[in-house]
Amino acid sequence: MALRDRSQSFSLKSLFWLSLFAIAMAYLEAAVVVYLRALYYPDGFAFPLKMIPFQILVVEIGREAATIVMLVTVGMIAGRNFGQRFSCFIFSFGVWDIFYYIWLKVLCNWPDSLLEWDILFLIPVTWTGPVLAPVIISLSMIVAAILILHLAARGVEFKLNLLEWGLEFLAAAGIFVSFVLDCKNIMNGGLPNPFRWEIFLGGELLGIIVFVQRYVKILRTMKK
């Protein structure tokens, strides 16, 4: 039977405040990108990339690191245990990432489509890919977080075993590879090669399957 601990239960009302924080943070992120594109891409953002000064690049990497720290911090504050904190983090991350693109669309009418390529991340190397790819990941993270926190609201903790964690890391590694495979070409001023959707979707599906199987097992034990 699933272990229930009401002292560790989670209030789903907290998701409203997490969402509000993430949406506001996404606006700040989008505003910075609007400024950068006005400076370095006055005719509109497009590949090949323009090389920016090293000092600005360092600042950008620091900004991205600070963004992750803020999202982790709000997760640590909102949750009561590891599972809740991690879920709050991925929920906030997902909302932030999706609204980042929504705000970009509002502020500078970009992207033209979800298949438009973007610079996704700079740590530890440059990640690039179609906007649709991170949106898919973010939606998956939001759904997973809500399901886990729904259990937490009922006093049930979601836990993966070591094998499941290993498979989830493998899934994440596949997704990471799909984003950085073209890094050298992109950073050398080339146009993006076709995105490796088969690698990306393989990692995404593996992660979803492992999660769903564990979630279903927990639901079954709750009914016993």
Side-chain angles (χ1 to χ4, degrees), residues 46 151 165 197:
L151 290 179
W165 271 116
W197 282 106

PDB file of all heavy atoms in Angstrom, residues 46 151 165 197:
ATOM      1  N   ALA A  46      18.231  35.641 -36.716  1.00  0.00           N
ATOM      2  CA  ALA A  46      18.317  34.552 -37.691  1.00  0.00           C
ATOM      3  C   ALA A  46      19.701  33.927 -37.618  1.00  0.00           C
ATOM      4  O   ALA A  46      20.661  34.547 -37.145  1.00  0.00           O
ATOM      5  CB  ALA A  46      18.045  35.071 -39.107  1.00  0.00           C
ATOM      6  N   LEU A 151      -0.414  13.760  -6.069  1.00  0.00           N
ATOM      7  CA  LEU A 151      -0.185  12.693  -5.090  1.00  0.00           C
ATOM      8  C   LEU A 151       0.235  13.288  -3.748  1.00  0.00           C
ATOM      9  O   LEU A 151      -0.233  12.855  -2.686  1.00  0.00           O
ATOM     10  CB  LEU A 151       0.901  11.737  -5.592  1.00  0.00           C
ATOM     11  CG  LEU A 151       0.575  10.835  -6.781  1.00  0.00           C
ATOM     12  CD1 LEU A 151       1.798   9.997  -7.137  1.00  0.00           C
ATOM     13  CD2 LEU A 151      -0.615   9.935  -6.482  1.00  0.00           C
ATOM     14  N   TRP A 165      15.608   5.878 -12.197  1.00  0.00           N
ATOM     15  CA  TRP A 165      16.417   7.097 -12.252  1.00  0.00           C
ATOM     16  C   TRP A 165      17.455   6.994 -13.369  1.00  0.00           C
ATOM     17  O   TRP A 165      17.696   7.961 -14.108  1.00  0.00           O
ATOM     18  CB  TRP A 165      17.121   7.341 -10.918  1.00  0.00           C
ATOM     19  CG  TRP A 165      16.318   8.140  -9.939  1.00  0.00           C
ATOM     20  CD1 TRP A 165      15.839   7.725  -8.731  1.00  0.00           C
ATOM     21  CD2 TRP A 165      15.903   9.506 -10.079  1.00  0.00           C
ATOM     22  NE1 TRP A 165      15.146   8.739  -8.109  1.00  0.00           N
ATOM     23  CE2 TRP A 165      15.170   9.848  -8.911  1.00  0.00           C
ATOM     24  CE3 TRP A 165      16.065  10.471 -11.070  1.00  0.00           C
ATOM     25  CZ2 TRP A 165      14.611  11.110  -8.717  1.00  0.00           C
ATOM     26  CZ3 TRP A 165      15.508  11.732 -10.873  1.00  0.00           C
ATOM     27  CH2 TRP A 165      14.794  12.039  -9.714  1.00  0.00           C
ATOM     28  N   TRP A 197      15.303  14.818 -34.726  1.00  0.00           N
ATOM     29  CA  TRP A 197      14.066  14.552 -34.000  1.00  0.00           C
ATOM     30  C   TRP A 197      14.008  13.126 -33.462  1.00  0.00           C
ATOM     31  O   TRP A 197      13.411  12.872 -32.414  1.00  0.00           O
ATOM     32  CB  TRP A 197      12.859  14.808 -34.908  1.00  0.00           C
ATOM     33  CG  TRP A 197      12.530  16.251 -35.078  1.00  0.00           C
ATOM     34  CD1 TRP A 197      12.747  17.030 -36.182  1.00  0.00           C
ATOM     35  CD2 TRP A 197      11.918  17.116 -34.110  1.00  0.00           C
ATOM     36  NE1 TRP A 197      12.315  18.321 -35.965  1.00  0.00           N
ATOM     37  CE2 TRP A 197      11.795  18.398 -34.701  1.00  0.00           C
ATOM     38  CE3 TRP A 197      11.463  16.936 -32.806  1.00  0.00           C
ATOM     39  CZ2 TRP A 197      11.236  19.484 -34.034  1.00  0.00           C
ATOM     40  CZ3 TRP A 197      10.903  18.014 -32.135  1.00  0.00           C
ATOM     41  CH2 TRP A 197      10.799  19.267 -32.746  1.00  0.00           C
TER      42      TRP A 197
END
